[in-house]
Amino acid sequence: MSQNDTFTASSPGKFILLGEHSVVYGKPAVALAINRRFRCSVRRNSVNTLNGMTLDTNIHPHIGYILRANKINGVAISTESGLPSSSGLGSSAALSSSLSAAIKAMKGEEGDRRVIADEAFNAEYEAQGRASPLDASCCTFGKGIAINCSESVGKEIWSVSKGDNGWRISEVAVPKMTFVVGYTGVRARTGPLVEKVRKYKEHNRFASDIVDEIGKITLDGVDAMSRGNVEELGSIMTQDHKLLSILGVSCNELNKLVNASLKYSYGAKLTGSGGGGSMIALTDEPEKVCNTIILHGGLPFIVETGVPGVTVE
Ligand code: MEV
């Protein structure tokens, strides 16, 4: 291995099927990895750079965290993303996860996925001020990830806690289903939306009940998915969208795409932190959903789910 060797790793993006926001408070959630990846290459260098420019860790706090966690100073990083940033599709978790894996490869380390997921989670936690390990786990382990669901759902892969909240992360089997993602084109940062829900929940009993209700219907959704009942799962997704709207994290652009897609879908909802970003629709008429998303101002793509997690290339 020479000093100039380049090490590359990639991680999948993800969408949250059910349970965003309430998972921050330790409620159940499910996320599925998608066939759009974030790729990170690293090589030792005299200074830290990102895509040829001096790295500013104030602008890229996730990168700053991963470099500190790995005690690395002096690296040239280049990135290539199949995921729009701030789109609710896990670009920051996929960046942290692939960067962590590439750096470990550069250091000649094995790269235990639990360590990578933990670093990616802590990067999110520090950058957002509050976070769950859902995105970090899904972008690292790939396939389907369930948090705080019953033990019968799948094998536990890791667990973590912060303050009053604890998360048990398990694999979940992903049956063949067709999803369309609709990107609103509106970039929305996760931190402020997580903070908005925290304030609402802390000052309002009703908001706290909505967070609990999202957790309950997520368990019903996981059960419907395990039985392959797409009608039931879709209707729970649409219900989840309504609850998230009550929490104040939807927006006109998302509601427009969700409502338009419902005509050709089993169900549809915003995915991720909301406020813009993307929605998903569960459907067996993907072309019709794509067309209606375009007609309503969004950018659609049909996604494959259940894809592999972080990979050193
Ligand atoms: C963001 O993709 C998902 C949220 O639940 C935040 C988190 O889990 O860290 C909104």
Side-chain angles (χ1 to χ4, degrees):
M1 193 193 307
S2 104
Q3 276 295 91
N4 288 329
D5 281 349
T6 298
F7 298 84
T8 301
S10 74
S11 295
K14 61 92 217 346
F15 66 73
I16 299 177
L17 182 61
L18 291 165
E20 50 271 90
H21 285 290
S22 62
V23 67
V24 172
Y25 303 95
K27 309 290 176 205
V30 193
L32 309 185
I34 59 172
N35 60 333
R36 290 195 160 222
R37 300 184 77 84
F38 194 103
R39 188 163 280 105
C40 234
S41 297
V42 298
R43 135 180 94 68
R44 292 200 188 268
N45 200 31
S46 52
V47 289
N48 293 330
T49 60
L50 175 63
N51 296 326
M53 314 269 279
T54 303
L55 171 69
D56 182 346
T57 52
N58 293 317
I59 300 176
H60 300 286
H62 296 82
I63 298 184
Y65 181 88
I66 299 291
L67 295 188
R68 282 199 312 281
N70 286 282
K71 299 187 177 52
I72 286 284
N73 193 9
V75 64
I77 304 167
S78 47
T79 60
E80 191 193 306
S81 179
L83 300 157
S85 69
S86 304
S87 63
L89 299 175
S91 62
S92 59
L95 158 68
S96 301
S97 163
S98 57
L99 178 61
S100 166
I103 284 181
K104 288 183 192 338
M106 185 175 82
K107 288 163 67 184
E109 289 176 8
E110 186 67 39
D112 181 332
R113 285 186 166 188
R114 283 167 303 188
V115 175
I116 294 172
D118 190 53
E119 279 177 17
F121 166 47
N122 280 296
E124 302 262 282
Y125 203 93
E126 199 176 275
Q128 286 169 208
R130 187 175 284 265
S132 80
L134 182 61
D135 291 15
S137 302
C138 195
C139 295
T140 302
F141 289 94
K143 301 189 177 164
I145 295 295
I147 289 197
N148 291 350
C149 291
S150 95
E151 278 172 22
S152 61
V153 154
K155 193 177 87 196
E156 179 173 325
I157 39 186
W158 76 296
S159 62
V160 62
S161 60
K162 286 242 187 243
D164 294 343
N165 299 311
W167 299 272
R168 199 168 31 75
I169 299 113
S170 315
E171 290 175 352
V172 63
V174 187
K176 206 162 168 39
M177 297 178 282
T178 306
F179 288 96
V180 174
V181 169
Y183 176 42
T184 58
V186 180
R187 292 177 61 169
R189 284 175 47 236
T190 303
L193 287 147
V194 169
E195 180 57 13
K196 181 177 181 182
V197 173
R198 183 195 66 78
K199 280 199 188 129
Y200 192 17
K201 182 179 168 326
E202 260 173 29
H203 297 113
N204 192 311
R205 181 64 207 270
F206 175 64
S208 196
D209 290 347
I210 299 285
V211 165
D212 290 347
E213 183 62 19
I214 291 176
K216 279 195 207 126
I217 67 165
T218 294
L219 290 178
D220 296 339
V222 172
D223 182 50
M225 184 168 81
S226 74
R227 287 182 278 108
N229 189 332
V230 282
E231 284 89 357
E232 200 176 316
L233 175 58
S235 127
I236 292 169
M237 287 167 60
T238 308
Q239 209 180 326
D240 192 20
H241 180 76
K242 289 182 186 146
L243 294 172
L244 289 163
S245 303
I246 297 172
L247 277 185
V249 296
S250 192
C251 62
N252 288 341
E253 289 85 351
L254 279 167
N255 292 339
K256 230 184 344 179
L257 299 189
V258 165
N259 292 335
S261 301
L262 281 176
K263 190 165 173 204
Y264 308 110
S265 308
Y266 296 111
K269 64 180 277 288
L270 71 83
T271 188
S273 52
S278 305
M279 49 71 67
I280 48 165
L282 172 58
T283 179
D284 51 18
E285 296 186 292
E287 279 78 22
K288 287 188 182 162
V289 174
C290 287
N291 287 339
T292 197
I293 286 176
I294 294 170
L295 277 175
H296 290 84
L299 175 69
F301 39 97
I302 301 169
V303 285
E304 230 175 80
T305 53
V307 303
V310 66
T311 309
V312 174
E313 300 180 348

